[in-house]
Amino acid sequence: MIVKPLGAAALRVSAAAAGVASALWTFPSMLLSAFLVTWGAEAAETLVSQGLALAVLAWLQTLPEFAVEAVIAWNAGRHPEAAHLAIANLTGAIRLLIGVGWPMIYFVAAFSGRKKHGALPAIIMAREHAITVMGLVPPLLWFVVIWIRKSLGPLDSAVLITCYAVYLAILWRCPPREEHDEAGEPRIARWARKLGGARSVLAILLLFGAGGALLYVTAHPFVDAMLALAAMLGINQFVAVQWFAPLLSEFPEGVSTFTWARRVTRAPTALMNLASSNINQWTILAASIPLIFGWSHQRAFGVFVPFTFDVEQQIEIGLTVAQSLLGTLLLMKLRFTWVDATSLFLLWLAQFVVPSWRYPISFVYLGWCGLQMLLFIFRVQKLEAAHVFVTVLRETAARRSRAG
């Protein structure tokens, strides 16, 4: 009678020990990879548009999250009763970035620059950031359709991938920055940028490549180690997948954005880094779920099926879409204030601490969206991102026409 409890305890201790041992090398490796890709992105801003550099950075940073989501979706295809975990990881990751990541950037920047400004100033975004803000709109609107249909299939994957491809195509056409802010720029990024010509391109590619490779090798052991520790602490599976796994997989983004936010002048870049990651999540990450799930289900049961939602999953998606719509509307001003940051964080905190509040908080988000739309309609606030987006597209087209 005593053998089984002792065996279970021994297994838990063994898993915890393995988790601690893995954390000892994966944590510094993830930290180094985050710095490498951040330096590469900062140096690349004089070669391609900042938006494109951030898109590449966001791709590398979200590799751990893609790996986690792929494993969950594949397992869900073979065990449909676990399908809710795939939505838990997607929605948790998105809500964590907007509800915690965006406010973190604001307050780190505000308090880092408080001696200079003496107050809590707004983060003012550059004109080129309008492309990233507007890039959030198409996938969010399509997800409203998905939410109504209660299913996610190959057609949705095609639409979401197209949204992302158009976003990248627009960024590709935008010119790089002619001026570069060297204040507080890391020495390695400055070194790579000042090499000039092909050597600069090679140095930047090496930074991206080394950081991405290290991230790829480290991601799975890092997440596995942390989840083993979470299990040891008694954190249940759904909470671990929705909050703990995304928190860990988004660790590289947290490092880079925190580093930029501390430099104050780079706070808009940090905010757009996370917004670009949100676009990745709403497009490529979401598009991968029905494809991997359907393929796995076909391998196991001989038939390809779409990913359908139950009531709980629909609430999760509805809440996440509502939060993202509000965040996008707030960014449409091309300025992010302490009111915006505080409100997004408190609303996230409320539904995190009291999960039963998720449904009513969805209506709070939607009500605020309606109020924000009225402020734009009656011109109390300017819909800057949409106007600047159109202007940037026209300028880019004119520039390419003159060059051709």
Side-chain angles (χ1 to χ4, degrees):
M1 297 296 293
I2 304 177
V3 174
K4 288 186 178 179
L6 285 174
L11 286 175
R12 284 196 297 271
V13 172
S14 177
V20 171
S22 295
L24 290 176
W25 72 268
T26 56
F27 182 81
S29 297
M30 290 285 278
L31 192 65
L32 177 59
S33 69
F35 280 117
L36 286 171
V37 294
T38 302
W39 295 334
E42 192 156 352
E45 289 179 14
T46 55
L47 301 179
V48 297
S49 69
Q50 186 189 77
L52 186 57
L54 290 178
V56 174
L57 175 62
W59 255 108
L60 294 171
Q61 290 171 329
T62 50
L63 277 177
E65 191 177 332
F66 274 77
V68 172
E69 187 63 66
V71 171
I72 293 173
W74 179 264
N75 291 336
R78 294 172 178 269
H79 307 282
E81 68 277 6
H84 65 290
L85 296 178
I87 294 301
N89 186 64
L90 174 70
T91 56
I94 293 172
R95 297 213 299 269
L96 196 62
L97 278 188
I98 297 176
V100 178
W102 293 13
M104 178 201 73
I105 290 170
Y106 175 81
F107 286 110
V108 169
F111 285 105
S112 296
R114 67 188 183 279
K115 292 181 180 179
K116 178 179 179 181
H117 299 285
L120 295 178
I123 294 177
I124 307 299
M125 285 159 268
R127 294 172 73 251
E128 63 203 53
H129 295 157
I131 298 173
T132 300
V133 175
M134 294 302 295
L136 284 164
V137 177
L140 282 176
L141 293 181
W142 188 256
F143 247 90
V144 173
V145 176
I146 292 171
W147 179 81
I148 293 172
R149 283 196 283 101
K150 302 180 182 180
S151 68
L152 188 59
L155 174 62
D156 302 306
S157 297
V159 172
L160 294 172
I161 291 170
T162 301
C163 290
Y164 189 73
V166 171
Y167 166 65
L168 285 185
I170 294 172
L171 290 176
W172 181 262
R173 295 166 65 92
C174 293
R177 286 188 170 186
E178 296 180 0
E179 298 180 356
H180 190 81
D181 180 17
E182 295 189 9
E185 183 181 21
R187 290 182 180 179
I188 294 180
R190 191 184 311 127
W191 163 79
R193 181 173 53 80
K194 289 187 175 182
L195 285 175
R199 291 189 301 171
S200 184
V201 174
L202 180 60
I204 291 169
L205 290 177
L206 285 174
L207 287 172
F208 274 134
L214 188 59
L215 192 59
Y216 179 79
V217 171
T218 309
H220 243 140
F222 177 75
V223 174
D224 289 345
M226 295 302 107
L227 288 179
L229 292 175
M232 183 197 68
L233 295 173
I235 301 174
N236 72 54
Q237 190 180 34
F238 186 87
V239 172
V241 170
Q242 185 167 45
W243 300 118
F244 202 72
L247 180 65
L248 297 172
S249 62
E250 289 167 358
F251 177 76
E253 292 167 280
V255 173
S256 60
T257 53
F258 182 85
T259 302
W260 275 334
R262 287 185 64 246
R263 288 164 54 189
V264 183
T265 57
R266 301 291 294 182
T269 303
L271 191 57
M272 289 302 101
N273 183 186
L274 293 194
S276 187
S277 293
N278 285 134
I279 295 175
N280 281 6
Q281 292 165 331
W282 279 118
T283 55
I284 305 299
L285 184 61
S288 70
I289 293 175
L291 299 180
I292 297 173
F293 173 84
W295 182 31
S296 175
H297 195 279
Q298 186 175 38
R299 290 286 299 272
F301 303 104
V303 58
F304 190 99
V305 296
F307 190 98
T308 56
F309 311 142
D310 59 22
V311 174
E312 284 299 314
Q313 292 168 354
Q314 197 173 22
I315 291 175
E316 289 289 337
I317 292 173
L319 173 62
T320 309
V321 169
Q323 183 208 42
S324 292
L325 284 171
L326 175 60
T328 302
L329 287 172
L330 294 177
L331 293 185
M332 284 286 181
K333 302 173 294 181
L334 291 185
R335 60 199 314 270
F336 193 62
T337 67
W338 71 269
V339 174
D340 302 333
T342 303
S343 302
L344 286 176
F345 176 72
L346 290 178
L347 286 172
W348 173 85
L349 185 63
Q351 51 88 22
F352 174 75
V353 174
V354 188
S356 60
W357 289 1
R358 291 173 302 163
Y359 190 66
I361 286 178
S362 298
F363 290 96
V364 175
Y365 282 128
L366 292 175
W368 194 350
C369 286
L371 174 62
Q372 193 64 48
M373 288 298 297
L374 289 175
L375 294 176
F376 290 143
I377 291 171
F378 290 103
R379 299 185 178 182
V380 177
Q381 293 181 352
K382 292 183 179 181
L383 195 63
E384 290 286 353
H387 297 305
V388 173
F389 177 72
V390 173
T391 302
V392 169
L393 288 184
R394 288 174 177 171
E395 291 175 354
T396 302
R399 189 181 300 108
R400 291 178 68 89
S401 178
R402 289 193 300 269

